[in-house]
Each structure stands twice: as structure tokens, then as C-alpha cells.
Amino acid sequence: MEGRLIAGNWKMNPRTLKEAIELARGVDEALKDLPIEKVIFPPFVFLTEVLRIVGNINIGAQNVFYEDSGAFTGEISPAMLKDIGINWVIIGHSERRNILKEDDETILKKVKRALEWGFRVILCVGEKLQDRELNRHKDVVKRQLDGLPDHENLIIAYEPVWAIGTGKNATPEQIEEMHTLIKDLTGKKVLYGGSVNPENSRELSMVKNLDGFLVGGASLKVESFQQIARSLLEFHP
Ligand code: PGA
């Protein structure tokens, strides 16, 4: 599982299946020759169609539940995702933690279950602005990593909440400090996420202990996503 990884988190975008297919086609073509791992995370309802039309990139889901089936209205199970051919999931994204109120315990259950099912799991961790201002960012992230199984399919994404969708990325020094901590604690691949764009990706890609990016907004444009992916190759420390 060597090498760097580019991941695109589409969140609740785009609005139509037609646009989703167009975007996935574009990304599939634009990234095809890059010798890094590539994965995009479209909304659940587009997964089947998107899977059908791509050939060069992996497709993942933005969330998954911890039970296989049953009375859990509105949830999607690991069994269902596996059945349609999905092998990647994001778990514990800060929007799920903060807007949908998922706690560390729920997230840990999801991670364990998804790993049992054989998914590659990207677990998101990261502190809020207040935590950083009070200098407790390391403690917050340590707590979010507590109890994690040591599994080869686990990847961590460090995404400081104050940098997500704000245009305010963390500095290389802040990223290096947190990635080193996460690597020391878990030994896993660590991605950075939070306002990564083609303007800052070159500088950020040189950070020590950075194994790739989890990109939100900029993954919705083929050109920017491709440029970010390229910088991971060109500017390897
Ligand atoms: P952003 O989102 O790149 O739009 O800041 C990153 C993420 O939430 O994964």
C-alpha cells in the first residue's frame, strides 16, 4: 500500500445524475495516467451509475452504517455497498460529526464494521478553531484516534474543521506537526484536507508525513482536481 493518494469528496454535489456522470467521466479521463491511488466519493444515489462509467479510478461512499440490515431508516449498510461494488468509504467526516451529531463512539463502531467488511476506510479527524486557540488540538485528535484497530486498510485524513470550505488552509508547519503525531500514534497513511486547491497544493504536497489529499470543493472541477493530483507526484519530498 505504498504511494500517495488523491481523494475527492463531492459532499452533497452535484444536483443531478447527468452532472455527476459528466464530472466522473472527466475525472476518470484526467487522472488516468497518474501513478498514484485515486478515489472519488459521489453521493450514494449516484454510485451505481458512476461505477458503470469509470475505468481508471476508485469510487467510494461518503458514509456507511455499522449494521448489515434491519430497522435503521435512512441508513446504508456495508453489505449494500459491497453488493454494488463499492470498496472505499469515508467515516467521521467533520460535517457528519458536527451537523449530524455523530460521536466518537458511533464513528468507531462504523470504522470497525467497515474494516471487517474489507473496505478501505478513510477516517477523518481534526480540531475546531476553538480547540486550536486553546492549544488543545493535539488532545482532540488523540481522542478521535482512541481505540482504533490497527488495520492495513485504514487511512487517516487530518482535516482541521476551521480549514474546511473556508479558503483558509492550515500552514505546512501545522500540518506537519499533526501528521507526525497521527503517524506516530497509528502508523497509517495520513491525508490532509481543508481548502486544498491548485494554488496551495504544491506547497502543501511537500510537507513531511503527508501521503495525499482529501479534496472537497476543488474536486468538483476536473481541471483543479487534476492539478492537485499532479502536485502530489511532482513535489514529493
Ligand atoms: P474543502 O473540503 O476542500 O472544500 O475544504 C474538504 C473536506 O471536507 O473533505
Side-chain angles (χ1 to χ4, degrees), residues 131-177:
D131 300 318
R132 186 159 277 276
E133 284 169 352
L134 294 171
N135 199 29
R136 56 181 189 211
H137 47 286
K138 287 188 179 174
D139 297 331
V140 170
V141 168
K142 273 190 206 160
R143 200 177 55 232
Q144 291 169 338
L145 295 171
D146 211 27
L148 276 183
D150 178 18
H151 198 291
E152 58 169 355
N153 284 343
L154 184 60
I155 296 162
I156 313 293
Y158 170 57
E159 299 205 308
V161 179
W162 48 272
I164 295 178
T166 56
K168 207 164 79 178
N169 61 273
T171 65
E173 293 73 28
Q174 289 170 327
I175 299 174
E176 183 174 330
E177 180 193 41

Side-chain angles (χ1 to χ4, degrees), residues 198-234:
E199 283 71 51
N200 61 27
S201 62
R202 291 169 170 230
E203 190 190 9
L204 299 182
S205 71
M206 288 185 259
V207 170
K208 205 174 122 206
N209 286 330
L210 183 139
D211 300 298
F213 293 127
L214 177 54
V215 185
S219 74
L220 298 171
K221 295 227 163 58
V222 174
E223 183 92 339
S224 4
F225 195 51
Q226 184 190 37
Q227 282 178 41
I228 295 170
R230 277 204 185 126
S231 60
L232 281 171
L233 274 170
E234 291 166 25

Side-chain angles (χ1 to χ4, degrees), residues 9 11 93-95 124 159 163-166 193-196 214-218:
N9 174 14
K11 310 192 178 190
H93 189 275
S94 68
E95 284 144 21
C124 301
E159 299 205 308
I164 295 178
T166 56
S195 298
V196 178
L214 177 54
V215 185

